[in-house]
Amino acid sequence: MSQLTSFESVAVSTRIRLARNFKDYPFPGRLLKDKHAAEQAHEIVRLIAAELEKIEDFALYEMNAVSEERAAFLTERYLISRDLIRNRAISAALVSHDESISVMLNEEDHVREQYFTHGFDLKRAYERIAGIDDVISESIPFAFDDTFGYLTACPTNLGTGLRASVMLFLPAVSRRGYMRTVMPQLTRLGLTVRGAFGEGSGSEGDLFQVSNEVTLGVSEGDILSVVEQSVGYLVEMELLERARMKAEENVALEDRVRRAYGVLTNCRVLDEREFMRRVADVKLGIALGYFSAGGEGEERMRDLDALTMSMRPANINRMNGAPLDTRGQDIYRAEYTGNAIRGMQLES
């Protein structure tokens, strides 16, 4: 069975985020202390919601009316942030029906616009969110300075306010110890590497987010270019190391990925950490051709990425229809995962 050597077997998803503030309103940190906070916050939400409704259907989540369980669900799906929840007295989020666009209002900044897409497509993601940005700017003027660019609450977002982030599946680079040498190189280019769940998270599932750290003194094109080139370098490195790994560890490696498949399709209890580790092994097995996914290998890997998001705690509670304790979630995760992976017919 052939090994996957495509970009899509490494690049999981792309996200573009823009940070903006409005020049005639106090920034959210000050807005919280203002006696007119509720009134001004509601005005911002109303104006932005009205503008976005002209181009697409969005669900509005006013955080002061959102339950803790729903907030956790939205956070796990990367649609809102913990800062948005902390500002729930004034904050809200607008989410497109397909969850590709999330616009957070009155978080650290007045507006955090995000666009997500599967695989690697910085150009499309930037063009899409730039269009949303243009629509929002027509309703309320942004805070902008000729020297510093877009003004933001945190100095690290000054300038373009643009973060370009790509999620990569790097099992070979990671397990063979090359991340220690790669990360300093990316830092010198003004990039940063985080785990799958953002700042402070580890390399669960061999997933890494690569994004720009510098937004001031560079153009949007500069940012997209350096992220694109760096991601291309990492993809080539990962594909090369996968081939070497297979050549050097063939039987032991196949044994590992097949054991992972056996655990995921037969276990009765499965905690989140083991789930992430075993799914990463199965994905690697598909990429290396140990499973008979054939021409649908990349699609099966995307299915496993979707499964990974669905099997997080708040997502499980929502699918179950009622909250479960940790033990209950582990049992639910085991049963659901087994059925899902057997349905992929990887061994047929």
Side-chain angles (χ1 to χ4, degrees):
M1 288 171 277
S2 61
Q3 180 171 324
L4 296 179
T5 58
S6 63
F7 222 96
E8 288 71 19
S9 71
V10 181
V12 176
S13 62
T14 302
R15 181 189 73 164
I16 296 288
R17 190 216 71 194
L18 296 175
R20 299 287 188 259
N21 286 284
F22 301 124
K23 70 176 186 178
D24 296 325
Y25 292 84
F27 282 19
R30 290 180 56 200
L31 188 59
L32 279 167
K33 304 171 185 177
D34 194 292
K35 64 180 181 180
H36 300 296
E39 178 184 337
Q40 293 185 36
H42 179 72
E43 184 176 4
I44 290 171
V45 172
R46 179 181 58 79
L47 287 169
I48 302 308
E51 289 299 319
L52 293 184
E53 282 177 3
K54 297 176 182 177
I55 58 172
E56 194 166 333
D57 290 333
F58 284 84
L60 172 61
Y61 299 96
E62 295 188 82
M63 297 313 297
N64 61 1
V66 171
S67 68
E68 293 293 340
E69 191 64 36
R70 174 57 70 89
F73 169 79
L74 294 170
T75 302
E76 287 182 356
R77 300 186 75 79
Y78 306 106
L79 298 172
I80 67 172
S81 67
R82 291 182 177 87
D83 283 340
L84 193 80
I85 298 171
R86 281 191 283 268
N87 282 3
R88 64 166 64 243
I90 62 171
S91 64
L94 289 154
V95 179
S96 64
H97 70 282
D98 62 356
E99 298 186 350
S100 65
I101 302 170
S102 167
V103 179
M104 294 184 286
L105 303 174
N106 299 320
E107 187 225 37
E108 183 179 52
D109 297 294
H110 286 138
V111 183
R112 288 286 179 95
E113 312 159 39
Q114 301 181 108
Y115 180 81
F116 306 87
T117 187
H118 296 296
F120 181 67
D121 198 341
L122 284 170
K123 181 180 179 182
R124 177 190 173 201
Y126 174 73
E127 290 176 349
R128 189 72 178 93
I129 205 62
I132 296 293
D133 195 54
D134 290 342
V135 169
I136 292 175
S137 68
E138 292 174 2
S139 61
I140 317 176
F142 288 139
F144 185 86
D145 181 86
D146 290 338
T147 301
F148 295 107
Y150 290 101
L151 302 180
T152 55
C154 180
T156 59
N157 291 319
L158 281 171
T160 62
L162 170 67
R163 294 272 186 225
S165 175
V166 181
M167 186 83 77
L168 300 174
F169 177 54
L170 301 174
V173 169
S174 175
R175 299 180 193 186
R176 291 166 72 83
Y178 292 115
M179 288 305 295
R180 290 191 298 271
T181 58
V182 166
M183 291 176 73
Q185 296 176 38
L186 295 176
T187 299
R188 287 193 291 272
L189 293 172
L191 304 177
T192 188
V193 180
R194 298 184 174 91
F197 304 139
E199 190 170 357
S201 65
S203 56
E204 291 90 346
D206 295 311
L207 294 168
F208 297 86
Q209 294 182 67
V210 177
S211 63
N212 63 297
E213 191 74 17
V214 178
T215 62
L216 181 62
V218 290
S219 69
E220 288 89 345
D222 292 334
I223 292 170
L224 297 177
S225 178
V226 71
V227 172
E228 181 171 17
Q229 291 177 29
S230 298
V231 167
Y233 166 75
L234 286 170
V235 169
E236 289 181 8
M237 186 178 185
E238 171 65 22
L239 293 174
L240 177 62
E241 291 306 320
R242 286 182 189 178
R244 288 177 176 167
M245 177 185 281
K246 186 175 183 179
E248 295 170 8
E249 308 171 29
N250 191 19
V251 174
L253 187 56
E254 182 171 6
D255 180 70
R256 175 172 176 162
V257 302
R258 290 192 177 279
R259 284 176 183 271
Y261 178 88
V263 169
L264 291 174
T265 54
N266 290 282
C267 68
R268 295 296 306 278
V269 181
L270 185 62
D271 66 44
E272 190 172 12
R273 183 175 294 275
E274 182 179 10
F275 166 82
M276 293 290 291
R277 185 173 71 251
R278 303 288 189 182
V279 166
D281 283 340
V282 172
K283 285 174 62 181
L284 180 59
I286 294 171
L288 295 179
Y290 289 131
F291 296 114
S292 58
E296 297 181 340
E298 292 164 6
E299 184 177 345
R300 295 289 80 79
M301 291 179 76
R302 287 195 296 272
D303 290 341
L304 288 169
D305 290 330
L307 180 66
T308 296
M309 184 175 291
S310 298
M311 291 297 96
R312 298 192 69 190
N315 277 256
I316 287 176
N317 288 344
R318 184 171 176 81
M319 293 169 68
N320 183 60
L324 294 167
D325 61 16
T326 300
R327 181 71 172 179
Q329 290 172 357
D330 292 347
I331 293 171
Y332 186 102
R333 184 181 293 111
E335 181 179 2
Y336 190 95
T337 297
N339 290 333
I341 293 180
R342 283 192 295 271
M344 296 178 191
Q345 299 182 324
L346 297 177
E347 292 202 314
S348 62

